[in-house]
Amino acid sequence: MLLGLAVWLICLLALAPLIGLVQFAFSGAAAQPLDLGPGGLLQLGNTLTLLLLVGVIGAVLGTTTGWLTASCSFPGRRWLAIAQLLPLATPAYLLAATLVDLGSRNGLRVHGLAWSVLVLTLSTYSYVFLLGSESFAVSGRRQIEAARSLGVGPWGSFRRVALPMALPSIGAGIALSGMEVVNELGAVELLGVPTLSVGILQRWQNDGDPQGAVGLALAALVIVSVLVGAERQLRHRSRRWGMGSPGDRLQPWPLSGWRAALAQVITLSPPLLALGFPLLWAVSSWDQMHGESIQDLIALTLRSFALALLAALLTVAAGLVLAISKRWIPQVLLRRITFLAGMGYAVPGAVLALALMLLGGPWALSPLLLLVWGYADRFLAVAKGGLDAGLERIPPSVDEAATGLGCSWLKVLQRVHLPLLRGPLLVGALLVFVDTVKELPLTFALRPFDFDTLSVRVYQYASDERVGAALVPALLILLLGLAAAMALVPTLERQRGPH
Amino acid sequence: MSRSNQPRRPVSVPVIAGLVALLAVAAGAAVVVRRMGRTPVQELGVYSGRHYNTDKELYRRFTEQTGIRVRLLEGKDDALIERVRTEGANSPADVLVLVDAARLDKAAGMDLFQPVSSKQLDRDVPANLRDPQGRWFALTRRVRMVVVNPAMVDPATIRTYADLAKPALQGKLCLRNNRSVYNQSLVADQLIQRGEPATVSWIKGMVANVSQPFYTSDTPLARAVAKGECGVALVNSYYVGRMLAGLSGEADQSLAKQLKVVFPDPAHVNVSGAGVTRNSTQAEAATRLIEFLASPSGGEGYAEANFEYPLKGYGSSAILKDFGPFRDDGVSVQQMGEKNRKAVELMQANGWS
């Protein structure tokens, strides 16, 4: 009963902006709600191409790095696992801006689809890495042990046992990176690739047709929902449960010689690229690294940190309630609604910001409240993705046993689910934290007076073509992300037992 | 480290909820304490589409002169317009500062400004740079100018914007894409001056001269011309000013020195400007701020730090003086805003993507 109420409340809060958008889209005299306008087909094609390429490359990269850092041992493994978070903490528009600027200083034209694929893959593959490696670390140990005792090698045990068990998590990671790709705006604009989100904004700004823009955004949302829904349906057929409890240890595959070197190269490349471009820029142009006072930087960092912490806690709590409810309340309608509630991530941030303004304006809600609401709404998918996948690994028989012993859902949650979900909860919190620190459109549109954050400054400078001034706040964003990773990754590592 | 029979209790739901509540209370308390600690002073809310650190310096000077505090929110012009609109009567914004004619006109069209009559503004802001009804006033000017690589193109062959469509420039012209509001306003300006047929053939002629993909920002465009990757390009004056001042490093400075700057005659002038919001209850103080920013002393500071031109004359920057004089084509900013949509349509329809 209590759970049901909580779920409905969260869904209502999560869906209110979307419902507001639907109303808004139909309120105006939008000439043709789904007319993309000139260049619309190209925009749609670009979006789909990016989705496909970034999805495939990111899936391979994230799964590889996840498996290597979770199930093998080689020199530097632990640090390289933490480093995988750096690319995620790098705002895509900053990466694009530094690349364009570096290129134009050195006579290289950084422009077009290939560069966009590089930038977006770098900034989103970590979703697959984090969710995948968490799954590799805890699931299917006994099966792998069994396979090993039957003489199956590392590759075989990965392919036959670990990968199928991690598929739900990997799928969730790909879905998240896909949503990010669909709503990415800054980077693709800088790289001159018109995508749907560019079209949506064009519609709003140039045609003075916000309703039409919103209609388009909702159409994009439907596309993404269908993709994600289809992925889940497919996966549903191949369900596997594994009981990884923190107690049993999996002996990692020791890698040595060229194999270890290759593992190092593979895991080092993405963070090196993500951090390398901005650092390369900084080194080559140190004569223009001027900007903020130290005092100002501290204030910006504190604001970013506080907002991100608040958003992470709220969002993970809401995500947990939604994920748990699916186990206890077997209503198809509710299932559909919770699925939709986790889709806020696929709406372009600028459009979601508009929705929140429409909601908050008449009520004079505090901008900060709206902002945190927006974060939670947007990143619910991020928190929920890993939790859903984590719960899928827990066999229903466990719940049945516990309820058979007279435990309420709350007790089962405390004694069974939470201990087993520690990994996904931490990963979710980490992802939401990092995402909030670098989030731009919502923060930009909804923040109150005199309340700049690091990402706001980065964007202001980068969009004003002053990359030099943007770098210091950008590095602080990376540092915050890294600090969060260092705080949480060891906890994840502990689950795997010592090496 | 075996914890198989003693699983550590994870952080439980109440603890997390408590933490969230604590954070919320602390934030609330901080706000209250800040409010209590303040002596009541008059405060103006400013939403600004400009974001230059130097603007803040000017707001500080205004506060020193008048005792009126300025609370600032910088954002994207379109989002700020939407925010003022949805906040309605609750909006804390008294002054809305926007960049580009198109956006000023859009906000006026949505009835977001209240008309202001001020003798000082009428004196300091030329008539074509303010709204005829006094809803907004320009504060700074920028020129969409031509930069030429003299080794590739003879600067003397370019006297007007129309010259950029000459077949002689085949393969040498580089342009920024149509998402740039600066280009949109330039096309709107040409529409007003030369009419639609001439503007369409001008766009087509220019697009035929372009061989590289459209650029997405001005600074790389200026660099490309200096390096000889392009012969000619259109950029806003202040980007070249910044490069010449060494703001983006020595390499850029020496690149910019190789550029030949040409002001087409007459030149297309765009503005950033401000108005008092429709629901402001402090119209008088808000007007004072706009007067201060538009005044020769205040306005010069607002413009100069970013190498923009003040409302009249050329300011005192040596770099701008070196660019030489230009003749403003006198097109009314308000009309330019009205033509924005048509301009974008023509660009999209004729290959300026």
Side-chain angles (χ1 to χ4, degrees):
Chain A
M1 192 58 218
L2 180 68
L3 181 65
L5 274 177
V7 173
W8 281 108
L9 180 69
I10 291 170
C11 284
L12 183 72
L13 283 175
L15 288 171
L18 294 180
I19 296 167
L21 284 180
V22 175
Q23 264 188 328
F24 181 69
F26 288 106
S27 70
Q32 302 210 302
L34 293 185
D35 168 21
L36 285 172
L41 268 182
L42 176 71
Q43 288 163 357
L44 185 64
N46 280 335
T47 296
L48 293 175
T49 311
L50 282 173
L51 266 177
L52 183 74
L53 290 175
V54 174
V56 170
I57 301 172
V60 172
L61 189 60
T63 308
T64 314
T65 49
W67 165 253
L68 286 173
T69 52
S71 310
C72 306
S73 68
F74 52 91
R77 184 196 59 80
R78 196 165 289 221
W79 286 106
L80 285 165
I82 291 177
Q84 301 304 312
L85 215 81
L86 278 175
L88 187 72
T90 316
Y93 57 83
L94 173 88
L95 206 52
T98 23
L99 278 171
V100 168
D101 204 71
L102 267 176
S104 97
R105 285 164 188 269
N106 299 298
L108 169 75
R109 186 76 200 275
V110 176
H111 188 90
L113 210 62
W115 288 101
S116 305
V117 170
L118 173 74
V119 166
L120 291 176
T121 304
L122 270 182
S123 59
T124 63
Y125 87 95
S126 299
Y127 288 126
V128 180
F129 160 82
L130 264 172
L131 296 176
S133 81
E134 191 275 327
S135 168
F136 288 133
V138 299
S139 64
R141 296 181 181 196
R142 285 173 196 164
Q143 288 92 328
I144 291 181
E145 299 286 350
R148 273 192 190 186
S149 65
L150 295 169
V152 177
W155 172 241
S157 71
F158 165 74
R159 207 170 41 91
R160 293 194 209 161
V161 184
L163 184 62
M165 301 218 62
L167 273 184
S169 303
I170 291 171
I174 296 173
L176 287 177
S177 91
M179 292 191 216
E180 179 117 336
V181 168
V182 167
N183 75 36
E184 173 56 49
L185 184 76
V188 289
E189 276 218 292
L190 269 171
L191 294 166
V193 178
T195 61
L196 270 184
S197 53
V198 174
I200 288 166
L201 238 66
Q202 237 170 356
R203 196 60 182 270
W204 174 3
Q205 293 167 1
N206 296 340
D207 309 355
D209 178 13
Q211 279 93 353
V214 168
L216 263 186
L218 292 173
L221 177 70
V222 169
I223 294 174
V224 177
S225 315
V226 167
L227 286 176
V228 176
E231 185 267 341
R232 292 201 176 178
Q233 280 300 325
L234 285 174
R235 221 175 50 208
H236 224 69
R237 295 187 201 154
S238 61
R239 282 195 112 155
R240 289 177 173 76
W241 290 298
M243 279 303 295
S245 71
D248 36 4
R249 299 175 212 159
L250 177 70
Q251 282 305 318
W253 300 100
L255 300 179
S256 57
W258 67 269
R259 285 196 179 86
L262 185 65
Q264 285 170 333
V265 169
I266 291 175
T267 46
L268 186 62
S269 314
L272 202 63
L273 286 173
L275 191 62
F277 289 129
L279 282 181
L280 189 67
W281 195 102
V283 169
S284 67
S285 321
W286 62 268
D287 58 343
Q288 24 170 321
M289 301 269 293
H290 41 71
E292 325 286 345
S293 65
I294 297 289
Q295 220 177 347
D296 213 12
L297 285 171
I298 291 172
L300 294 172
T301 310
L302 281 176
R303 284 190 207 113
S304 285
F305 176 78
L307 276 177
L309 189 65
L310 191 63
L313 291 173
L314 272 176
T315 313
V316 169
L320 182 67
V321 170
L322 291 191
I324 292 285
S325 75
K326 286 210 305 216
R327 272 180 109 82
W328 298 101
I329 310 175
Q331 285 177 8
V332 178
L333 173 69
L334 189 73
R335 198 163 281 221
R336 297 255 158 87
I337 287 182
T338 49
F339 174 74
L340 205 63
M343 284 292 181
Y345 199 37
V347 181
V351 174
L352 191 60
L354 174 65
L356 288 157
M357 285 185 215
L358 290 165
L359 279 175
W363 304 95
L365 291 178
S366 125
L368 265 183
L369 185 74
L370 279 182
L371 185 54
V372 175
W373 183 1
Y375 287 148
D377 202 2
R378 191 157 179 215
F379 299 135
L380 194 55
V382 176
K384 208 166 139 277
L387 285 170
D388 281 345
L391 272 168
E392 271 187 39
R393 290 198 304 256
I394 304 175
S397 54
V398 175
D399 304 20
E400 285 154 17
T403 41
L405 292 170
C407 288
S408 66
W409 69 269
L410 207 59
K411 270 229 162 71
V412 178
L413 175 67
Q414 262 186 343
R415 293 192 178 173
V416 181
H417 291 162
L418 277 181
L420 289 173
L421 286 178
R422 261 181 76 185
L425 280 171
L426 284 174
V427 168
L430 179 61
L431 283 174
V432 176
F433 181 89
V434 171
D435 262 331
T436 309
V437 171
K438 70 169 184 176
E439 199 282 338
L440 186 77
L442 286 176
T443 320
F444 215 56
L446 297 173
R447 71 193 196 282
F449 282 121
D450 307 318
F451 201 86
D452 284 3
T453 63
L454 290 170
S455 71
V456 163
R457 275 306 150 83
V458 170
Y459 178 79
Q460 283 181 334
Y461 289 130
S463 70
D464 191 32
E465 304 187 18
R466 288 184 294 174
V467 183
L471 276 179
V472 177
L475 289 175
L476 284 169
I477 290 182
L478 285 178
L479 275 179
L480 272 181
L482 199 59
M486 300 199 15
L488 295 186
V489 170
T491 321
L492 289 175
E493 293 263 319
R494 262 214 301 282
Q495 300 199 347
R496 317 166 18 155
H499 289 303
Chain B
M1 266 272 331
S2 168
R3 291 182 290 105
S4 47
N5 38 9
Q6 266 295 311
R8 242 195 16 199
R9 283 287 297 278
V11 181
S12 62
V13 181
V15 172
I16 290 184
L19 265 175
V20 173
L22 201 69
L23 263 172
V25 169
V31 171
V32 170
V33 168
R34 263 180 53 183
R35 291 258 159 88
M36 279 167 53
R38 271 191 214 144
T39 43
V41 283
Q42 190 169 15
E43 278 187 352
L44 275 178
V46 175
Y47 284 3
S48 172
R50 289 170 59 95
H51 28 249
Y52 309 115
N53 281 358
T54 45
D55 287 5
K56 291 178 187 147
E57 191 48 47
L58 266 174
Y59 299 134
R60 258 194 291 274
R61 261 180 46 202
F62 174 74
T63 305
E64 276 167 24
Q65 282 183 22
T66 60
I68 301 170
R69 274 197 44 172
V70 173
R71 305 194 68 198
L72 179 64
L73 173 81
E74 294 180 337
K76 284 186 177 171
D77 303 79
D78 293 284
L80 291 175
I81 288 172
E82 219 49 59
R83 185 157 166 175
V84 172
R85 199 176 65 86
T86 52
E87 282 170 343
N90 303 319
S91 179
D94 299 291
V95 175
L96 181 58
V97 181
L98 297 169
V99 175
D100 201 89
R103 288 147 177 175
L104 287 163
D105 179 71
K106 180 172 155 182
M110 289 180 170
D111 202 23
L112 300 184
F113 293 130
Q114 51 177 297
V116 165
S117 63
S118 148
K119 284 201 175 66
Q120 193 186 324
L121 284 172
D122 290 351
R123 187 191 65 217
D124 288 342
V125 187
N128 67 319
L129 304 182
R130 54 184 149 94
D131 177 59
Q133 300 172 44
R135 291 171 299 180
W136 52 259
F137 302 85
L139 299 172
T140 63
R141 297 183 299 159
R142 56 273 300 270
V143 180
R144 197 82 182 139
M145 67 183 183
V146 178
V147 284
V148 183
N149 181 323
M152 291 175 71
V153 173
D154 175 10
T157 57
I158 297 166
R159 295 175 187 283
T160 61
Y161 293 103
D163 289 341
L164 296 175
K166 283 181 181 168
L169 293 178
Q170 176 100 50
K172 292 178 182 165
L173 177 67
C174 288
L175 290 175
R176 189 167 164 174
N177 63 14
N178 74 16
R179 297 274 296 136
S180 153
V181 77
Y182 311 135
N183 280 343
Q184 294 169 7
S185 288
L186 171 64
V187 174
D189 171 276
Q190 295 295 294
L191 258 176
I192 292 160
Q193 290 195 82
R194 305 172 57 205
E196 193 173 325
T199 304
V200 168
S201 61
W202 170 66
I203 294 175
K204 282 183 175 161
M206 282 204 300
V207 170
N209 285 339
V210 169
S211 60
Q212 290 219 35
F214 292 111
Y215 281 72
T216 55
S217 40
D218 278 18
T219 311
L221 199 48
R223 282 183 199 136
V225 174
K227 285 171 181 268
E229 291 153 22
C230 308
V232 195
L234 278 166
V235 293
N236 272 6
S237 46
Y238 55 85
Y239 290 108
V240 183
R242 283 187 207 166
M243 284 169 82
L244 283 169
L247 289 188
S248 51
E250 282 172 21
D252 266 6
Q253 196 171 20
S254 56
L255 276 179
K257 282 179 181 156
Q258 296 164 39
L259 291 170
K260 187 83 190 70
V261 169
V262 176
F263 285 119
D265 191 38
H268 156 62
V269 173
N270 209 324
V271 300
S272 67
V276 180
T277 56
R278 162 68 55 196
N279 293 305
S280 170
T281 51
Q282 314 187 76
E284 197 191 329
T287 308
R288 271 179 81 184
L289 175 61
I290 298 176
E291 283 171 349
F292 168 78
L293 295 173
S295 70
S297 61
E300 194 143 305
Y302 212 46
E304 209 146 283
N306 186 37
F307 300 96
E308 289 170 273
Y309 289 100
L311 292 169
K312 292 176 181 171
Y314 302 103
S316 54
S317 146
I319 287 175
L320 295 189
K321 281 215 169 72
D322 276 352
F323 284 164
F326 60 86
R327 186 166 65 98
D328 182 346
D329 62 17
V331 170
S332 120
V333 171
Q334 181 221 0
Q335 284 187 315
M336 237 186 293
E338 285 171 354
K339 286 275 188 239
N340 174 275
R341 204 169 157 175
K342 183 75 192 165
V344 177
E345 268 171 38
L346 292 183
M347 290 162 96
Q348 286 173 339
N350 294 291
W352 193 342
S353 61

